[in-house]
Coordinates of all heavy atoms in Angstrom, one line a residue:
Q1 N 10.6 29.3 -35.8 CA 10.4 28.9 -34.4 C 11.5 27.8 -34.0 O 11.9 28.0 -32.8 CB 9.1 28.2 -34.2 CG 7.9 29.2 -34.5 CD 6.6 28.5 -34.5 OE1 6.5 27.2 -34.6 NE2 5.5 29.2 -34.5
I2 N 11.9 27.0 -34.9 CA 12.9 26.0 -34.5 C 14.2 26.7 -34.3 O 15.1 26.4 -33.4 CB 13.1 24.9 -35.6 CG1 11.8 24.1 -35.6 CG2 14.3 24.1 -35.3 CD1 11.7 23.0 -36.7
I3 N 14.5 27.8 -35.1 CA 15.7 28.5 -35.0 C 15.8 29.3 -33.6 O 16.9 29.3 -33.1 CB 15.8 29.6 -36.2 CG1 15.9 28.8 -37.5 CG2 16.9 30.5 -36.0 CD1 15.8 29.8 -38.7
E4 N 14.7 29.7 -33.1 CA 14.6 30.3 -31.8 C 15.1 29.3 -30.7 O 15.8 29.6 -29.8 CB 13.2 30.8 -31.5 CG 12.8 32.0 -32.3 CD 11.4 32.4 -32.1 OE1 10.9 32.0 -31.0 OE2 10.8 33.1 -32.9
V5 N 14.7 28.1 -30.9 CA 15.1 27.0 -29.9 C 16.5 26.7 -30.0 O 17.2 26.6 -29.0 CB 14.2 25.7 -30.1 CG1 14.7 24.6 -29.2 CG2 12.7 26.0 -29.8
I6 N 17.0 26.6 -31.2 CA 18.4 26.3 -31.5 C 19.3 27.4 -30.9 O 20.4 27.1 -30.4 CB 18.7 26.0 -33.0 CG1 17.9 24.8 -33.4 CG2 20.1 25.9 -33.3 CD1 18.0 24.5 -34.9
A7 N 18.8 28.6 -30.9 CA 19.6 29.8 -30.5 C 19.7 29.9 -29.0 O 20.5 30.6 -28.5 CB 19.0 31.1 -31.1
I8 N 19.0 29.0 -28.2 CA 19.1 29.1 -26.8 C 20.5 28.7 -26.3 O 21.0 27.7 -26.7 CB 18.1 28.1 -26.1 CG1 16.6 28.6 -26.5 CG2 18.2 28.1 -24.6 CD1 15.5 27.7 -26.0
E9 N 21.1 29.6 -25.5 CA 22.4 29.3 -25.0 C 22.5 28.1 -24.2 O 21.7 27.8 -23.4 CB 22.9 30.6 -24.2 CG 24.3 31.1 -24.6 CD 24.6 32.3 -23.8 OE1 24.1 33.3 -24.2 OE2 25.3 32.2 -22.8
N10 N 23.5 27.3 -24.4 CA 23.8 26.0 -23.6 C 22.6 25.1 -23.6 O 22.4 24.4 -22.6 CB 24.2 26.4 -22.2 CG 25.4 27.2 -22.1 OD1 26.4 27.0 -22.8 ND2 25.4 28.3 -21.3
L11 N 21.8 25.1 -24.7 CA 20.6 24.2 -24.7 C 21.0 22.8 -24.4 O 20.3 22.1 -23.6 CB 19.9 24.3 -26.1 CG 18.8 23.4 -26.2 CD1 17.6 23.9 -25.2 CD2 18.1 23.6 -27.7
S12 N 22.0 22.2 -25.0 CA 22.3 20.8 -24.8 C 22.7 20.5 -23.4 O 22.2 19.6 -22.8 CB 23.5 20.5 -25.7 OG 23.9 19.1 -25.5
R13 N 23.4 21.4 -22.8 CA 23.8 21.2 -21.3 C 22.6 21.3 -20.5 O 22.5 20.5 -19.5 CB 24.9 22.2 -20.9 CG 25.6 21.8 -19.6 CD 26.7 22.7 -19.3 NE 26.1 23.9 -18.6 CZ 26.7 25.1 -18.7 NH1 27.8 25.3 -19.3 NH2 26.1 26.1 -18.1
Q14 N 21.7 22.2 -20.7 CA 20.5 22.4 -19.9 C 19.6 21.2 -20.0 O 19.0 20.7 -19.1 CB 19.7 23.6 -20.4 CG 20.4 25.0 -20.0 CD 19.5 26.1 -20.5 OE1 18.3 26.0 -20.8 NE2 20.2 27.3 -20.8
L15 N 19.5 20.6 -21.3 CA 18.7 19.4 -21.5 C 19.3 18.2 -20.8 O 18.5 17.4 -20.2 CB 18.5 19.2 -22.9 CG 17.6 20.1 -23.7 CD1 17.6 19.8 -25.2 CD2 16.2 20.1 -23.2
E16 N 20.6 18.1 -20.8 CA 21.2 17.1 -20.1 C 20.9 17.1 -18.6 O 20.7 16.1 -17.9 CB 22.7 17.1 -20.3 CG 23.1 16.5 -21.7 CD 24.6 16.5 -21.9 OE1 25.4 16.3 -20.8 OE2 25.1 16.6 -23.0
R17 N 21.1 18.4 -18.0 CA 20.8 18.6 -16.6 C 19.4 18.2 -16.3 O 19.1 17.6 -15.2 CB 21.1 20.0 -16.2 CG 22.6 20.3 -16.0 CD 22.8 21.6 -15.3 NE 21.9 22.6 -15.7 CZ 22.1 23.9 -15.7 NH1 23.3 24.3 -15.4 NH2 21.1 24.7 -16.0
Q18 N 18.4 18.6 -17.1 CA 17.0 18.3 -16.8 C 16.8 16.7 -16.9 O 16.0 16.2 -16.1 CB 16.2 19.0 -17.9 CG 16.1 20.5 -17.8 CD 15.6 20.9 -16.4 OE1 14.7 20.4 -15.9 NE2 16.3 22.0 -15.9
S19 N 17.5 16.1 -17.8 CA 17.4 14.6 -18.0 C 17.9 14.0 -16.7 O 17.3 13.0 -16.2 CB 18.1 14.1 -19.2 OG 18.0 12.8 -19.3
D20 N 19.1 14.4 -16.2 CA 19.6 13.9 -15.0 C 18.8 14.1 -13.8 O 18.6 13.1 -13.0 CB 21.0 14.4 -14.7 CG 22.1 14.1 -15.7 OD1 21.9 13.0 -16.4 OD2 23.1 14.7 -15.8
L21 N 18.2 15.3 -13.7 CA 17.3 15.6 -12.6 C 16.0 14.7 -12.7 O 15.6 14.2 -11.7 CB 16.9 17.1 -12.7 CG 16.0 17.6 -11.6 CD1 16.6 17.4 -10.2 CD2 15.7 19.0 -11.8
M22 N 15.5 14.5 -13.9 CA 14.3 13.6 -14.0 C 14.7 12.2 -13.6 O 13.9 11.6 -13.0 CB 13.8 13.7 -15.5 CG 12.6 12.8 -15.7 SD 11.2 13.3 -14.7 CE 10.5 14.5 -15.8
S23 N 15.8 11.7 -14.0 CA 16.2 10.4 -13.5 C 16.3 10.2 -12.1 O 15.9 9.2 -11.5 CB 17.6 10.0 -14.2 OG 17.5 10.0 -15.6
K24 N 16.9 11.3 -11.4 CA 17.0 11.2 -9.9 C 15.6 11.2 -9.3 O 15.4 10.5 -8.3 CB 17.8 12.4 -9.4 CG 19.3 12.3 -9.8 CD 20.0 13.6 -9.3 CE 21.5 13.4 -9.7 NZ 22.2 14.7 -9.4
I25 N 14.7 12.0 -9.9 CA 13.3 12.1 -9.3 C 12.6 10.8 -9.5 O 12.0 10.3 -8.5 CB 12.5 13.2 -10.0 CG1 13.1 14.6 -9.5 CG2 11.0 13.1 -9.7 CD1 12.6 15.8 -10.4
Q26 N 12.8 10.2 -10.6 CA 12.1 8.9 -10.9 C 12.7 7.8 -9.9 O 11.9 7.0 -9.5 CB 12.3 8.4 -12.3 CG 11.4 9.2 -13.3 CD 11.7 8.8 -14.7 OE1 12.8 8.5 -15.2 NE2 10.6 8.8 -15.6
K27 N 14.0 7.8 -9.7 CA 14.6 6.8 -8.8 C 14.1 7.0 -7.4 O 13.8 6.1 -6.7 CB 16.2 7.0 -8.8 CG 16.9 6.0 -8.0 CD 18.4 6.2 -8.0 CE 19.0 5.1 -7.0 NZ 20.2 5.5 -6.6
A28 N 14.0 8.3 -7.0 CA 13.6 8.6 -5.6 C 12.1 8.2 -5.5 O 11.7 7.7 -4.4 CB 13.7 10.1 -5.3
L29 N 11.3 8.4 -6.5 CA 9.9 8.1 -6.4 C 9.8 6.5 -6.4 O 9.0 6.0 -5.6 CB 9.1 8.6 -7.6 CG 7.7 8.2 -7.7 CD1 6.9 8.7 -6.5 CD2 7.1 8.9 -9.0
G30 N 10.6 5.8 -7.2 CA 10.5 4.3 -7.1 C 10.9 3.8 -5.7 O 10.3 2.9 -5.2
E31 N 11.9 4.5 -5.1 CA 12.3 4.1 -3.8 C 11.3 4.3 -2.7 O 11.0 3.5 -1.9 CB 13.6 4.8 -3.3 CG 14.8 4.3 -4.2 CD 16.0 5.2 -4.0 OE1 16.0 6.2 -3.3 OE2 17.1 4.8 -4.5
Y32 N 10.6 5.4 -2.9 CA 9.5 5.8 -2.0 C 8.3 4.8 -2.1 O 7.8 4.3 -1.1 CB 9.0 7.2 -2.3 CG 7.7 7.5 -1.5 CD1 7.7 7.9 -0.2 CD2 6.5 7.6 -2.2 CE1 6.6 8.2 0.5 CE2 5.3 7.9 -1.5 CZ 5.3 8.2 -0.1 OH 4.2 8.5 0.6
L33 N 8.0 4.4 -3.3 CA 6.9 3.5 -3.5 C 7.3 2.1 -3.0 O 6.5 1.4 -2.4 CB 6.5 3.4 -5.0 CG 5.9 4.6 -5.6 CD1 5.6 4.4 -7.1 CD2 4.6 5.0 -4.9
E34 N 8.5 1.7 -3.1 CA 9.0 0.5 -2.6 C 8.9 0.5 -1.0 O 8.5 -0.6 -0.5 CB 10.4 0.2 -3.0 CG 11.0 -1.2 -2.7 CD 10.1 -2.3 -3.2 OE1 9.5 -2.2 -4.3 OE2 10.0 -3.3 -2.5
R35 N 9.2 1.6 -0.5 CA 9.1 1.7 1.1 C 7.6 1.5 1.5 O 7.3 0.9 2.5 CB 9.7 3.0 1.6 CG 11.2 3.0 1.6 CD 11.7 4.2 2.4 NE 11.2 5.5 2.0 CZ 11.7 6.3 1.0 NH1 12.7 5.9 0.4 NH2 11.2 7.5 0.8
Q36 N 6.7 2.1 0.7 CA 5.3 2.0 1.0 C 4.9 0.6 0.9 O 4.1 0.1 1.7 CB 4.5 2.9 0.1 CG 4.8 4.4 0.3 CD 4.6 4.9 1.7 OE1 3.5 4.6 2.3 NE2 5.6 5.6 2.2
R37 N 5.4 -0.1 -0.1 CA 5.0 -1.5 -0.3 C 5.5 -2.4 0.8 O 4.9 -3.3 1.2 CB 5.5 -2.0 -1.7 CG 4.6 -1.4 -2.9 CD 5.1 -1.9 -4.2 NE 4.2 -1.5 -5.3 CZ 4.5 -0.7 -6.2 NH1 5.7 -0.1 -6.3 NH2 3.5 -0.4 -7.1
A38 N 6.8 -2.0 1.2 CA 7.4 -2.9 2.3 C 6.6 -2.7 3.6 O 6.4 -3.6 4.4 CB 8.8 -2.4 2.5
A39 N 6.0 -1.4 3.8 CA 5.2 -1.2 5.0 C 3.8 -1.9 4.9 O 3.3 -2.2 6.0 CB 5.1 0.3 5.2
F40 N 3.3 -2.0 3.7 CA 2.0 -2.6 3.6 C 2.0 -3.5 2.4 O 1.9 -3.0 1.2 CB 0.9 -1.6 3.5 CG -0.5 -2.1 3.4 CD1 -1.1 -2.8 4.5 CD2 -1.3 -1.9 2.3 CE1 -2.4 -3.3 4.5 CE2 -2.6 -2.5 2.2 CZ -3.1 -3.1 3.4
S41 N 2.2 -4.8 2.6 CA 2.5 -5.7 1.5 C 1.4 -5.8 0.4 O 1.7 -6.2 -0.7 CB 2.9 -7.1 2.0 OG 1.8 -7.6 2.7
R42 N 0.2 -5.5 0.7 CA -0.9 -5.5 -0.2 C -0.7 -4.5 -1.4 O -1.2 -4.6 -2.5 CB -2.2 -5.3 0.4 CG -2.7 -6.4 1.3 CD -3.1 -7.6 0.5 NE -3.4 -8.7 1.3 CZ -4.1 -9.8 0.9 NH1 -4.4 -9.8 -0.4 NH2 -4.3 -10.7 1.7
F43 N 0.2 -3.5 -1.1 CA 0.5 -2.5 -2.2 C 1.3 -3.2 -3.4 O 1.4 -2.6 -4.4 CB 1.3 -1.4 -1.7 CG 0.5 -0.4 -0.9 CD1 1.0 0.4 0.1 CD2 -0.9 -0.3 -1.0 CE1 0.3 1.3 0.8 CE2 -1.7 0.7 -0.3 CZ -1.1 1.5 0.6
Y44 N 1.8 -4.4 -3.1 CA 2.6 -5.1 -4.2 C 1.6 -5.5 -5.3 O 2.0 -5.8 -6.4 CB 3.3 -6.3 -3.7 CG 4.6 -5.9 -3.0 CD1 4.7 -6.0 -1.6 CD2 5.7 -5.4 -3.7 CE1 5.8 -5.6 -0.9 CE2 6.8 -5.1 -3.0 CZ 6.9 -5.2 -1.7 OH 8.1 -4.9 -1.0
F45 N 0.3 -5.5 -5.0 CA -0.7 -6.0 -6.0 C -1.2 -4.9 -6.9 O -2.0 -5.1 -7.8 CB -1.8 -6.7 -5.3 CG -1.5 -7.9 -4.6 CD1 -1.3 -7.9 -3.2 CD2 -1.4 -9.1 -5.2 CE1 -1.0 -9.1 -2.5 CE2 -1.0 -10.3 -4.6 CZ -0.8 -10.3 -3.2
V46 N -0.7 -3.7 -6.7 CA -1.2 -2.5 -7.6 C 0.1 -2.0 -8.2 O 1.2 -2.0 -7.6 CB -1.9 -1.5 -6.8 CG1 -3.2 -2.0 -6.2 CG2 -1.1 -0.9 -5.6
G47 N -0.2 -1.5 -9.4 CA 1.0 -0.8 -10.1 C 1.4 0.6 -9.5 O 0.7 1.1 -8.6
D48 N 2.4 1.1 -10.0 CA 2.9 2.4 -9.5 C 1.9 3.5 -9.6 O 1.7 4.3 -8.7 CB 4.2 2.8 -10.3 CG 5.3 1.9 -9.9 OD1 5.3 1.1 -8.9 OD2 6.4 2.1 -10.6
E49 N 1.2 3.6 -10.8 CA 0.2 4.6 -11.0 C -0.9 4.5 -10.0 O -1.4 5.5 -9.4 CB -0.3 4.6 -12.4 CG -1.2 5.8 -12.7 CD -1.5 5.8 -14.2 OE1 -0.7 5.4 -15.1 OE2 -2.7 6.1 -14.5
D50 N -1.4 3.3 -9.7 CA -2.6 3.1 -8.8 C -2.1 3.5 -7.4 O -2.8 4.0 -6.6 CB -3.0 1.7 -8.9 CG -3.8 1.3 -10.2 OD1 -4.3 2.3 -10.8 OD2 -3.8 0.2 -10.5
L51 N -0.8 3.0 -7.0 CA -0.3 3.3 -5.7 C -0.2 4.8 -5.5 O -0.5 5.3 -4.4 CB 1.0 2.6 -5.5 CG 1.6 2.8 -4.1 CD1 0.6 2.3 -3.0 CD2 2.9 1.9 -4.0
L52 N 0.3 5.5 -6.5 CA 0.4 7.0 -6.4 C -1.0 7.5 -6.1 O -1.2 8.5 -5.3 CB 1.0 7.6 -7.5 CG 2.5 7.4 -7.6 CD1 3.0 7.8 -9.0 CD2 3.2 8.2 -6.5
E53 N -2.0 7.1 -6.8 CA -3.4 7.6 -6.7 C -3.9 7.3 -5.2 O -4.6 8.1 -4.6 CB -4.3 7.0 -7.7 CG -5.7 7.6 -7.8 CD -6.5 7.2 -9.0 OE1 -5.9 6.8 -10.0 OE2 -7.7 7.2 -8.8
I54 N -3.6 6.0 -4.8 CA -4.1 5.7 -3.4 C -3.5 6.6 -2.4 O -4.1 7.1 -1.5 CB -3.7 4.2 -3.1 CG1 -4.5 3.3 -4.0 CG2 -3.9 3.9 -1.6 CD1 -4.1 1.8 -4.0
I55 N -2.1 6.8 -2.5 CA -1.4 7.6 -1.5 C -1.8 9.1 -1.6 O -2.1 9.7 -0.6 CB 0.1 7.5 -1.7 CG1 0.6 6.1 -1.3 CG2 0.9 8.5 -0.8 CD1 2.0 5.7 -1.8
G56 N -2.0 9.6 -2.8 CA -2.3 10.9 -3.1 C -3.7 11.3 -2.7 O -4.0 12.4 -2.3
N57 N -4.6 10.3 -2.7 CA -6.0 10.5 -2.3 C -6.4 9.7 -1.1 O -7.6 9.4 -1.0 CB -6.9 10.1 -3.5 CG -6.7 10.9 -4.7 OD1 -6.7 12.2 -4.7 ND2 -6.5 10.3 -5.9
S58 N -5.5 9.6 -0.2 CA -5.8 8.7 1.0 C -6.9 9.3 1.9 O -7.5 8.5 2.5 CB -4.5 8.6 1.8 OG -4.0 9.9 2.3
K59 N -7.2 10.6 1.8 CA -8.3 11.1 2.6 C -9.6 11.1 1.8 O -10.7 11.4 2.3 CB -7.9 12.5 3.0 CG -6.7 12.5 3.9 CD -6.4 13.9 4.4 CE -5.1 13.8 5.2 NZ -5.0 14.7 6.2
E60 N -9.6 10.7 0.5 CA -10.8 10.7 -0.3 C -11.2 9.2 -0.5 O -10.7 8.5 -1.4 CB -10.5 11.3 -1.7 CG -10.1 12.7 -1.6 CD -11.3 13.7 -1.1 OE1 -12.5 13.2 -1.4 OE2 -11.1 14.6 -0.5
L61 N -12.0 8.7 0.4 CA -12.4 7.3 0.4 C -12.9 6.8 -0.9 O -12.6 5.7 -1.4 CB -13.3 7.0 1.5 CG -13.7 5.6 1.8 CD1 -12.5 4.8 2.1 CD2 -14.7 5.4 2.9
K62 N -13.7 7.6 -1.5 CA -14.4 7.2 -2.8 C -13.4 6.9 -3.9 O -13.5 6.1 -4.7 CB -15.4 8.3 -3.3 CG -16.6 8.3 -2.5 CD -17.5 9.4 -3.0 CE -18.8 9.4 -2.1 NZ -19.8 10.4 -2.7
Q63 N -12.3 7.6 -3.9 CA -11.3 7.5 -4.9 C -10.3 6.3 -4.6 O -9.7 5.7 -5.5 CB -10.4 8.7 -5.1 CG -11.3 9.8 -5.7 CD -10.4 10.9 -6.3 OE1 -9.2 10.9 -6.4 NE2 -11.1 11.9 -6.9
T64 N -10.2 5.9 -3.4 CA -9.3 4.8 -3.0 C -10.0 3.5 -3.1 O -9.4 2.4 -3.3 CB -8.6 5.0 -1.7 OG1 -9.7 5.2 -0.7 CG2 -7.7 6.2 -1.7
I65 N -11.3 3.5 -2.9 CA -12.1 2.2 -2.9 C -12.0 1.4 -4.2 O -11.9 0.2 -4.1 CB -13.6 2.5 -2.6 CG1 -13.8 2.9 -1.1 CG2 -14.5 1.4 -3.0 CD1 -15.2 3.3 -0.8
Q66 N -11.9 2.1 -5.2 CA -11.8 1.4 -6.6 C -10.5 0.5 -6.7 O -10.5 -0.4 -7.5 CB -11.8 2.5 -7.7 CG -10.6 3.3 -7.7 CD -10.7 4.4 -8.8 OE1 -11.4 4.3 -9.8 NE2 -9.9 5.4 -8.7
H67 N -9.5 0.7 -5.8 CA -8.3 -0.1 -5.8 C -8.3 -1.2 -4.9 O -7.4 -2.0 -4.9 CB -7.1 0.9 -5.5 CG -7.0 2.0 -6.5 ND1 -6.6 1.8 -7.8 CD2 -7.2 3.3 -6.4 CE1 -6.6 3.0 -8.5 NE2 -6.9 3.9 -7.6
L68 N -9.3 -1.2 -4.0 CA -9.3 -2.3 -2.9 C -9.4 -3.7 -3.5 O -8.7 -4.6 -3.0 CB -10.4 -2.0 -2.0 CG -10.3 -0.9 -1.0 CD1 -11.5 -0.8 -0.1 CD2 -9.0 -1.0 -0.2
S69 N -10.2 -3.9 -4.6 CA -10.3 -5.2 -5.2 C -9.0 -5.7 -5.8 O -8.8 -6.9 -5.9 CB -11.4 -5.2 -6.2 OG -11.0 -4.4 -7.3
K70 N -8.1 -4.8 -6.1 CA -6.8 -5.2 -6.7 C -5.9 -5.8 -5.5 O -5.1 -6.6 -5.8 CB -6.1 -4.1 -7.3 CG -6.8 -3.6 -8.5 CD -6.2 -2.3 -9.1 CE -7.1 -1.7 -10.2 NZ -6.6 -0.4 -10.7
M71 N -6.1 -5.2 -4.3 CA -5.3 -5.6 -3.2 C -5.9 -6.8 -2.4 O -5.1 -7.5 -1.8 CB -5.1 -4.4 -2.3 CG -4.3 -3.3 -2.9 SD -3.9 -1.9 -1.8 CE -5.6 -1.2 -1.6
F72 N -7.2 -6.9 -2.5 CA -7.9 -7.9 -1.7 C -8.8 -8.7 -2.7 O -9.9 -8.3 -2.9 CB -8.7 -7.3 -0.5 CG -7.9 -6.5 0.5 CD1 -7.7 -5.2 0.3 CD2 -7.2 -7.2 1.4 CE1 -7.0 -4.4 1.2 CE2 -6.4 -6.5 2.3 CZ -6.3 -5.1 2.2
A73 N -8.3 -9.9 -3.1 CA -9.0 -10.6 -4.2 C -10.5 -11.0 -3.7 O -11.4 -11.0 -4.6 CB -8.3 -11.8 -4.5
A74 N -10.7 -11.3 -2.5 CA -12.0 -11.8 -2.1 C -13.0 -10.7 -1.8 O -14.2 -11.0 -1.6 CB -11.8 -12.6 -0.8
L75 N -12.5 -9.5 -2.0 CA -13.4 -8.3 -1.7 C -14.1 -7.9 -2.9 O -13.6 -7.6 -3.9 CB -12.5 -7.1 -1.2 CG -13.2 -5.9 -0.8 CD1 -14.0 -6.2 0.5 CD2 -12.3 -4.8 -0.5
A76 N -15.5 -8.0 -2.8 CA -16.3 -7.7 -4.0 C -16.8 -6.2 -3.9 O -16.8 -5.5 -4.9 CB -17.6 -8.6 -4.0
A77 N -17.1 -5.8 -2.7 CA -17.6 -4.4 -2.6 C -17.4 -3.9 -1.2 O -17.3 -4.7 -0.3 CB -19.1 -4.3 -3.0
V78 N -17.4 -2.6 -1.0 CA -17.3 -1.9 0.3 C -18.7 -1.3 0.5 O -19.2 -0.6 -0.3 CB -16.2 -0.9 0.3 CG1 -16.2 -0.2 1.6 CG2 -14.8 -1.6 0.0
V79 N -19.2 -1.6 1.7 CA -20.5 -1.0 2.0 C -20.4 0.4 2.4 O -19.6 0.8 3.1 CB -21.2 -1.8 3.1 CG1 -22.6 -1.2 3.4 CG2 -21.4 -3.3 2.6

């Protein structure tokens, strides 16, 4: 099985391109999250993973409520 992988033509170059592409995607995602935080400063209180979940589920109130206490310290619960 390993021999099959090694036999892939231009494997090293393909992996380098994929790595470069992944780096560009990560950079763009980081910049996007930073713009979201600049637009709403309370987002600075949540990590990247939480912020992605908030943005991705913005229409699902039940999934975003769990993050409110991280952004608003005095908030105990949402009715």
Side-chain angles (χ1 to χ4, degrees):
Q1 295 171 349
I2 293 175
I3 295 172
E4 292 175 18
V5 172
I6 293 173
I8 296 174
E9 225 175 285
N10 300 319
L11 178 62
S12 179
R13 194 173 81 210
Q14 289 178 25
L15 291 174
E16 281 183 33
R17 283 194 324 213
Q18 294 300 321
S19 178
D20 289 343
L21 181 59
M22 181 60 89
S23 294
K24 289 177 184 177
I25 291 169
Q26 287 178 324
K27 182 180 179 205
L29 180 58
E31 291 170 355
Y32 172 76
L33 293 178
E34 187 58 34
R35 285 193 306 273
Q36 297 304 308
R37 287 181 170 115
F40 185 65
S41 60
R42 290 290 176 165
F43 285 156
Y44 284 107
F45 295 101
V46 295
D48 289 351
E49 189 174 316
D50 290 335
L51 183 52
L52 285 171
E53 189 171 331
I54 292 167
I55 294 168
N57 295 308
S58 61
K59 296 183 187 211
E60 299 292 330
L61 186 59
K62 288 182 181 181
Q63 295 202 358
T64 57
I65 285 177
Q66 65 184 344
H67 301 289
L68 290 180
S69 63
K70 296 173 189 173
M71 294 185 288
F72 301 95
L75 185 64
V78 175
V79 179

